[in-house]
Amino acid sequence: DKEESMMQHDILRLEVKRLRQQLTTKSENLYSLENRKQQLQISMEEREKEIEVHTEVLRAQLRSAEEEKHKAAIELAERKQKIFTLKSKYDNVMCKVKKEEGGEQLSQAHYMIKAAQEKEELQRKGDELDDKIRRAEKEIRSLENTLGHLVQRNHKFKENLQTSNMQNQSELEEKQTLEEQSRAANEVLFKKKKVLTQLEQEAQEDVQRYEELQRSMQQMEAHVNELTAARDVLRQDIGTQAPKIERAQQTLANAQTRAIQSGVDLAPEAAAAVDVKARGLREQNQSLLFALSNALQDYGEDVLPLFENLCAERGVAMPSRPPSAASRPGSGR
């Protein structure tokens, strides 16, 4: 039994080993198959990409072919149109030639001769143009030679100028210094001119203010002279009224004496005394009004109308002649 069991065990071990080998083989086969599958899949993807690229190329070729076909169709239509146009022109030319030749049918030799004449004319014109071109080329070459001489002379002049510049460097520096000094002097002169202009403006303003003050002083002096003249006139009027007042007082004293001698009551409350005082005050007022009226005659535009309006408002009558002349008839009575 033990041997059988050992034998079975060995058999089983061998079977397990065989199965493991088979499993390993199957695993390797499976791995190789999977690897093959991956490679085939990669190949398929690459092939699909190639097919897609080839398809795009074919599509592009198809589009280009269609475009060429379209261009060919357009070119064919244009050429047909050109053929039709040339045919129409040919027909028109033939009709025109027939009309010019009187409707006669001309031979091909005539047209060849005419074409040869036109060719000779064109050849002659071409020869003339060639002559003009050759002359122009000669002129261009001469101009190029002249330009070369000018370039050489310009180069020599530049060299001489550089040499002279190197020699005159000190003079240039001195010139720059003098120019800087001149600019500084011009700036100072400009500032001084600006200050002078301001001073002139201020002086002109001062002169204008002085002239205004002079005019104001002249106006004030004229006004003072007018007031002084009015004052002198009033003083003269007052001086002329003084003798009249003395005569009136003398007349009053004489009248009082006669009244006393006649037995008239001259008490301050008496009617005669009051009447005499009233007449005296009236004459005095009339004299003052007449004097003021004469004095204000020179101010007839402003002061005199105001004075007359005040008198009219107060009910005071303005005398037209001196009160002494107005009172003489009453005293005669």
Side-chain angles (χ1 to χ4, degrees), residues 223-275:
H223 188 60
V224 169
N225 292 330
E226 291 176 357
L227 293 176
T228 304
R231 184 194 63 185
D232 294 337
V233 171
L234 288 174
R235 286 180 178 176
Q236 290 177 2
D237 291 337
I238 291 170
T240 56
Q241 293 296 326
K244 295 178 181 179
I245 292 171
E246 291 179 358
R247 288 196 300 271
Q249 289 177 354
Q250 185 64 35
T251 303
L252 178 60
N254 294 330
Q256 287 178 354
T257 303
R258 288 196 299 271
I260 291 170
Q261 291 176 357
S262 300
V264 179
D265 188 7
L266 295 178
E269 295 83 5
V274 172
D275 184 44

Side-chain angles (χ1 to χ4, degrees), residues 152-165:
Q152 291 178 359
R153 293 179 64 183
N154 190 14
H155 183 67
K156 291 180 180 179
F157 179 74
K158 284 183 178 179
E159 290 179 353
N160 294 327
L161 183 62
Q162 289 177 357
T163 305
S164 63
N165 287 333

Side-chain angles (χ1 to χ4, degrees), residues 171-192:
E171 294 180 358
L172 290 174
E173 291 178 356
E174 185 178 359
K175 181 181 177 182
Q176 290 177 357
T177 304
L178 292 174
E179 287 178 353
E180 291 177 356
Q181 292 177 358
S182 176
R183 283 195 295 271
N186 287 328
E187 289 178 357
V188 174
L189 180 61
F190 177 74
K191 291 179 180 179
K192 289 185 177 181

Side-chain angles (χ1 to χ4, degrees), residues 44-59:
M44 287 176 65
E45 290 178 355
E46 291 177 354
R47 188 62 179 168
E48 286 176 356
K49 289 181 180 180
E50 290 178 358
I51 292 169
E52 186 177 357
V53 171
H54 187 64
T55 304
E56 291 294 331
V57 172
L58 291 175
R59 287 177 182 174

